[in-house]
Amino acid sequence: MTAQGITKPVHRPARPWFSSGPCAKRPGWSLEALQNALLGRSHRSQEGRARLGEVIDRSAKLLGVPEGWKVGIVPASDTGAVELLLWSLGGQAGHGVDVLAFETFSATWAKDLENELALEDVRVFSAPQGQLPNLAAIDWSRDVVLTWNGTTSGVCLPGLDSVPPRHDGLVLCDATSAAFAMDLPWERLDAVTWSWQKALGGEAAHGMVALSPRAVARLEEGAPRPLPKIFRLTKPAANPTPGRPAQLNEAIFKGDTINTPSMLCVEDALDGLKWAEAIGGLRALKQRVQNNFKTIQDWVAQRDWVEFLVKNPQERSCTSVCLEVTAPWFKDLCKEAQTKAIKAMTALLATEKAGYDVAAHRDSPPGLRIWCGATVDQPDIEALLPWLDWAFAEVAATLRHGQNSQDASS
């Protein structure tokens, strides 16, 4: 079967999961990995706390979180973790906030700071999908809220020097599709969030926060507003002072979570962490990501119908890889028709069991998004790419046939 001279591929990915969240499970995963899950037991039991503490300790060690930082598990995935930081720290003690908004979630953080928290001194630096705002315009004497890697746009901060080594304000970093996949400048950040469902293929609904001593000190200055229970990281200080009415609730950072976690998900998170350690830690994870990304990079360079959405190579994400279709006939379509063409293309891939969930995020221009995190095997990326060529050619031929039929009838 051919379309525009492209033969239907025969070889399929062994694991055709390329969703950008929840992401592919680690290679070799099966339900057997969860057989020792602490089911039917309280997460506040000695054994439950121990496993939650193990997730915290292994995560901190694998990521290279500095000594003196506090790492904890919080509710509601990365969204909950970021919102917790915004509501707990945003606008505290009159601190102005600069926020970068260049993809769906970072734009949400900006809207929440402006509209929900109604902070008086917020500056939003925006950019269209596929671009970064002007980083030189940021005032690092203020608090800064940034997303390290834009999951929905495929834009990544260009390097560790994106944040200056010295800054007077706090830097709050959403790192959910960067953690466990690329380097983070921990010594230049103050509070970092991520989730279990991204780079290590964990299950949803659990977020994590890492707090520097500076962030902890700010929290202990007291909450700037009433907070719901699931956002509270502090408790009244045993010996309060005018500048320190609260103290960090240390139990949260030892496995005593604010709300009830899924011990099934905890077991799965531990499985992912142990796998990462066994293959060589963060260095090995990053190498797998780079190998996956280079495979797509080389493929795009040889195609005339697809390009990276992000034009600056230094700003391209190596995990959530976003592509746009550049074929003239596709560009001539209205956005609605482009979206339908992409849906038809991805439906073909799913029907053939060649690739699942590779459409661009709904807020991005119609195109493709392929997760290249470490839990994805490079041979599966290699096997997917010919199917993309074939599915695109199939959709192009179908649309062209429909146009020809319409022309003939008229």
Side-chain angles (χ1 to χ4, degrees):
M1 181 177 181
T2 62
Q4 288 188 308
I6 296 179
T7 303
K8 182 178 179 179
V10 175
H11 180 61
R12 291 171 172 80
R15 299 190 305 133
W17 297 291
F18 304 102
S19 164
S20 289
C23 301
K25 310 301 287 183
R26 54 97 173 159
W29 185 93
S30 73
L31 288 172
E32 290 296 311
L34 308 180
Q35 62 180 332
N36 294 321
L38 197 69
L39 303 182
R41 292 291 309 278
S42 171
H43 63 293
R44 303 212 186 278
S45 66
Q46 182 177 353
E47 295 89 344
R49 282 190 172 97
R51 295 200 187 183
L52 289 159
E54 187 178 355
V55 171
I56 291 170
D57 293 342
R58 287 181 182 271
S59 298
K61 184 176 180 180
L62 187 60
L63 288 170
V65 177
E67 289 289 331
W69 282 52
K70 303 292 184 179
V71 178
I73 300 167
V74 298
S77 193
D78 182 63
T79 300
V82 174
E83 292 286 1
L84 181 153
L85 294 182
L86 298 184
W87 285 80
S88 299
L89 295 170
Q92 189 175 10
H95 292 277
V97 181
D98 283 2
V99 54
L100 303 184
F102 57 91
E103 50 90 54
T104 302
F105 294 101
S106 58
T108 298
W109 313 147
K111 290 178 181 177
D112 284 358
L113 287 166
E114 287 189 308
N115 302 330
E116 304 305 324
L117 279 79
L119 300 186
E120 295 181 358
D121 188 9
V122 177
R123 302 195 309 170
V124 179
F125 298 89
S126 302
Q129 294 273 351
Q131 300 178 36
L132 273 178
N134 179 15
L135 301 182
I138 298 173
D139 182 353
W140 298 97
S141 68
R142 300 158 60 87
D143 290 344
V144 176
V145 176
L146 57 85
T147 299
W148 195 268
N149 186 85
T151 309
T152 68
S153 67
V155 179
C156 184
L157 292 185
L160 302 182
D161 290 337
S162 299
V163 179
R166 297 187 63 180
H167 47 271
D168 295 331
L170 296 183
V171 178
L172 313 184
C173 175
D174 171 4
T176 193
S177 55
F180 304 106
M182 54 189 76
D183 287 319
L184 292 169
W186 292 97
E187 70 284 355
R188 302 180 183 213
L189 306 174
D190 295 291
V192 182
T193 69
W194 64 93
S195 74
W196 293 356
Q197 70 189 53
K198 291 291 184 184
L200 292 186
E203 292 304 304
H206 301 79
M208 298 197 74
V209 295
L211 305 174
S212 71
R214 294 181 73 228
V216 171
R218 177 79 71 82
L219 285 170
E220 292 182 340
E221 292 176 9
R225 59 188 60 82
L227 296 175
K229 179 179 179 180
I230 61 171
F231 281 0
R232 296 175 201 156
L233 295 178
T234 61
K235 59 184 181 180
N239 298 298
T241 64
R244 187 177 175 271
Q247 67 183 59
L248 194 71
N249 186 348
E250 294 280 355
I252 294 173
F253 303 91
K254 296 176 182 178
D256 198 354
T257 56
I258 300 172
N259 71 331
T260 304
S262 163
M263 297 309 293
L264 196 64
C265 293
V266 168
E267 196 70 19
D268 191 55
L270 284 172
D271 176 74
L273 290 163
K274 291 175 183 177
W275 166 77
E277 293 164 359
I279 67 170
L282 185 58
R283 178 179 295 182
L285 295 175
K286 292 188 298 181
Q287 188 60 60
R288 286 176 62 87
V289 172
Q290 288 300 321
N291 292 344
N292 290 340
F293 178 66
K294 187 177 187 306
T295 301
I296 292 185
Q297 198 173 36
D298 293 344
W299 175 77
V300 169
Q302 298 172 17
R303 298 297 179 275
D304 60 3
W305 64 269
V306 64
E307 291 180 0
F308 288 100
L309 178 63
V310 181
K311 302 312 175 191
N312 185 343
Q314 302 302 315
E315 298 173 359
R316 289 175 187 158
S317 169
C318 58
T319 54
S320 51
V321 179
C322 294
L323 306 172
E324 65 171 342
V325 177
T326 55
W329 68 263
F330 186 89
K331 289 292 190 182
D332 288 340
L333 300 175
C334 66
K335 184 176 181 179
E336 181 180 4
Q338 290 178 347
T339 300
K340 288 182 178 179
I342 294 296
K343 285 184 177 180
M345 184 177 172
T346 55
L348 282 173
L349 295 169
T351 298
E352 294 289 344
K353 300 180 180 179
Y356 298 116
D357 308 319
V358 297
H361 189 273
R362 62 182 177 272
D363 293 339
S364 296
L368 304 172
R369 181 174 61 162
I370 303 167
W371 182 254
C372 287
T375 58
V376 176
D377 286 323
Q378 183 183 12
D380 286 335
I381 296 283
E382 293 173 345
L384 168 69
L385 299 178
W387 285 96
L388 297 181
D389 288 322
W390 171 80
F392 176 75
E394 283 287 307
V395 171
T398 299
L399 290 175
R400 186 169 57 253
H401 176 74
Q403 183 63 50
N404 292 340
S405 299
Q406 183 178 2
D407 292 342
S409 64
S410 60

